[in-house]
Amino acid sequence: MKKKYTSILLILMSMSMIVNAGTPVTGNTPEKKKAIDLSNFDTTVNPRNDFYNYVNGNWLKNNPIPPTENLWGSFNELREKNLKNMRIVLDEAAADKSAPQGSNKQKIRDFYSTGMDSLKREKEGAAPLKDIFAKIAAIKNSDDLVNVIGYLHTIQVRNLFGFSVDQDDKASTEMICKLHQGGIGLPDRDYYFNTDDNSKMIQKEYKNYISMMFGLLGDSPLDVMNESASIINIETDLAKASRKRVDLRDPELNYNKKTIAELKTLVPNMNWDNFFKAV
């Protein structure tokens, strides 16, 4: 049976300059920020009774949640400033037609221009993903499947589970491979099993979304129905094996350090040698 993968390919761009949230990148004098801004304090509050509002009260009053957001805080402000500064870098790179071939600026310019060319994007449709689809369609056995799972992780398409290389939580001088639960499209496992009206609506719309993605690829209505059902079934099985969000807050339960040999014993049906080789 022909297999297709509908996740959007995320490409990470490496940029030649680091953009500081409080520092404009237009060559102007860097904007100075106070380490502690006392104007954000609400001194009418007794810090012994409510230290949080004593420190943050005026900031909260002066920075209501924007109507376009569901939450707001200083890190949201930081993100917005970084995005604006990145836009400046991208626009300047896009306008520079003399950037040397192979330079970071040329790569940034071409990448950004490609993403902004909506006419070309609409014309090409899913064609740029055909090589990925071909790899998936060529899967014949479990080893092929593992190879493709590993390949997709290398291009930032997370599937079945999360994988990263990061510091050991109990030995910060060591870098280790980390495996995390994942593979579901909805925010967490409960979205698949809650039975209230809002959850049912979300489940229905999510299935419609998956169907629409396959439809945009040109699949027949029958294929769309079968493919969508398969994805929902796979994700539901993954959700059943996933821990709840509250449980994931326990760092001790999250820490399950294993050797490769122990991992192979724990999950014997997965060809881990092939996976690690692929990634």
Side-chain angles (χ1 to χ4, degrees), residues 254-268:
N254 290 338
Y255 190 83
N256 300 282
K257 194 172 183 179
K258 305 290 182 184
T259 64
I260 296 295
E262 290 172 332
L263 180 62
K264 290 178 179 178
T265 300
L266 184 65
V267 190

Side-chain angles (χ1 to χ4, degrees), residues 44-55:
T44 65
V45 176
N46 188 329
R48 291 174 296 181
N49 297 332
D50 188 349
F51 188 74
Y52 176 81
N53 276 303
Y54 170 74
V55 173

Side-chain angles (χ1 to χ4, degrees), residues 159-261:
N159 58 104
L160 293 186
F161 54 84
F163 173 78
S164 63
V165 177
D166 206 345
Q167 288 173 301
D168 187 326
D169 291 344
K170 294 188 177 182
S172 60
T173 59
E174 298 180 12
M175 301 295 289
I176 61 174
C177 296
K178 291 187 177 181
L179 299 171
H180 321 269
Q181 69 182 40
I184 58 177
L186 293 174
D188 67 42
R189 71 178 305 282
D190 290 343
Y191 278 75
Y192 293 83
F193 307 116
N194 289 340
T195 57
D196 59 280
D197 290 342
N198 186 57
S199 295
K200 289 181 178 178
M201 182 272 294
I202 292 173
Q203 292 160 8
K204 178 182 177 182
E205 291 302 319
Y206 181 52
K207 186 173 182 180
N208 289 340
Y209 168 76
I210 295 173
S211 298
M212 181 179 67
M213 292 295 101
F214 281 118
L216 290 173
L217 291 173
D219 290 3
S220 70
L222 179 60
D223 284 341
V224 167
M225 181 179 66
N226 292 333
E227 291 160 347
S228 301
S230 293
I231 286 181
I232 292 296
N233 290 338
I234 291 172
E235 290 193 14
T236 301
D237 285 342
L238 288 170
K240 288 177 182 177
S242 299
R243 291 165 57 209
K244 293 188 176 183
R245 183 176 296 184
V246 173
D247 297 329
L248 291 172
R249 296 173 186 165
D250 188 328
E252 288 297 328
L253 289 179
N254 290 338
Y255 190 83
N256 300 282
K257 194 172 183 179
K258 305 290 182 184
T259 64
I260 296 295

